[in-house]
Amino acid sequence: EVQLVESGGGLVQPGGSLRLSCAASGFTFSSYSMNWVRQAPGKGLEWVSYISSGGSPTYYADSVKGRFTISRDNAKNSLFLQMSSLRAGDTAVYYCAREIPGAWDPWGQGTLVTVSS
Amino acid sequence: IQLTQSPSSLSASVGDRVTITCRASQAISNYLAWYQQKPGKAPKLLIYAASTLQSGVPSRFSGSGSGTDFTLTISSLQPEDFATYYCQQFKSYPLTFGGGTKVGIK
């Protein structure tokens, strides 16, 4: 079964840092580009970052550029999102998603990041 | 590229035909996907390339359109279809989503 499982979310103070992980199983992780997307409470979906199958290139939404870093470890079937200088506006459920031609499938179950003092 | 979904919400009955539209601010060919999201769950892919049904998705779901105007249709609404639906463009980064359409029970 193709599966993605996020971890690493939690409560962090404004200005703090957090590292999210996404563990992949059931498919050849190194063959797929991956994305992070987030959803603020009660709001819609916002793409955050992209990484190609080999680790380069990477892309970021303007809202996180310079603060977030996407990376992957193909040997460990894992995707990461290093988040720093966190703001209240970064509070959201963060999902990782596998990119297939023309869509994302599947998505992980999500991990909640709350930025608050 | 901005995606505008309409309506933002609707109420319908089981068995109804439901149509949701998604308009792109510029032409995106057929680079459009549709997702279903239920409360507390991750989005699920329904349709990609504007009209291709993802494996395992019931045939009552269909998609159409090209260029700037797209449609998701549920031919006969079932109880498990009450959810929020999002369109997403794959033409260029930053990838963007429509604002969502919440399908509720009448």
Side-chain angles (χ1 to χ4, degrees):
Chain A
E1 179 194 4
V2 175
Q3 194 172 15
L4 298 170
V5 178
E6 300 93 337
S7 61
L11 175 64
V12 60
Q13 292 189 340
S17 299
L18 210 55
R19 190 193 196 207
L20 305 184
S21 299
C22 170
S25 60
F27 65 100
T28 305
F29 179 71
S30 60
S31 296
Y32 291 86
S33 299
M34 298 292 295
N35 287 267
W36 286 100
V37 59
R38 67 185 181 183
Q39 187 170 36
K43 301 298 185 181
L45 300 164
E46 178 190 17
W47 169 75
V48 172
S49 186
Y50 160 95
I51 187 167
S52 69
S53 58
S56 181
T58 59
Y59 304 135
Y60 298 91
D62 286 346
S63 57
V64 307
K65 200 172 295 182
R67 300 187 298 122
F68 290 11
T69 302
I70 190 171
S71 62
R72 63 191 296 160
D73 184 338
N74 284 342
K76 295 184 177 180
N77 294 335
S78 294
L79 174 72
F80 306 102
L81 186 69
Q82 179 68 46
M83 305 184 295
S84 61
S85 302
L86 284 161
R87 310 163 179 166
D90 296 318
T91 294
V93 174
Y94 285 73
Y95 298 98
C96 59
R98 183 182 70 166
E99 187 161 317
I100 62 171
W104 292 346
D105 182 71
W107 299 46
Q109 87 288 351
T111 187
L112 176 63
V113 173
T114 303
V115 183
S116 175
S117 55
Chain B
I1 298 174
Q2 291 188 322
L3 297 179
T4 303
Q5 274 185 248
S6 60
S8 57
S9 65
L10 64 90
S11 295
S13 301
V14 172
D16 283 354
R17 182 181 181 89
V18 170
T19 299
I20 299 168
T21 64
C22 179
R23 175 164 289 175
S25 60
Q26 63 189 75
I28 58 171
S29 184
N30 69 336
Y31 294 102
L32 191 97
W34 289 96
Y35 300 88
Q36 176 194 67
Q37 186 179 34
K38 296 181 179 180
K41 300 294 186 180
K44 172 189 171 185
L45 176 64
L46 298 175
I47 287 169
Y48 62 95
S51 61
T52 303
L53 198 65
Q54 173 68 344
S55 175
V57 174
S59 59
R60 63 181 179 272
F61 291 92
S62 64
S64 65
S66 183
T68 61
D69 293 316
F70 302 86
T71 299
L72 172 70
T73 300
I74 309 172
S75 60
S76 178
L77 197 67
Q78 298 301 301
E80 60 268 30
D81 300 337
F82 292 99
T84 299
Y85 295 84
Y86 293 93
C87 57
Q88 179 197 29
Q89 65 83 15
F90 256 84
K91 177 64 173 175
S92 63
Y93 280 86
L95 302 184
T96 48
F97 293 88
T101 296
K102 185 174 184 178
V103 176
I105 301 172
K106 182 183 281 185

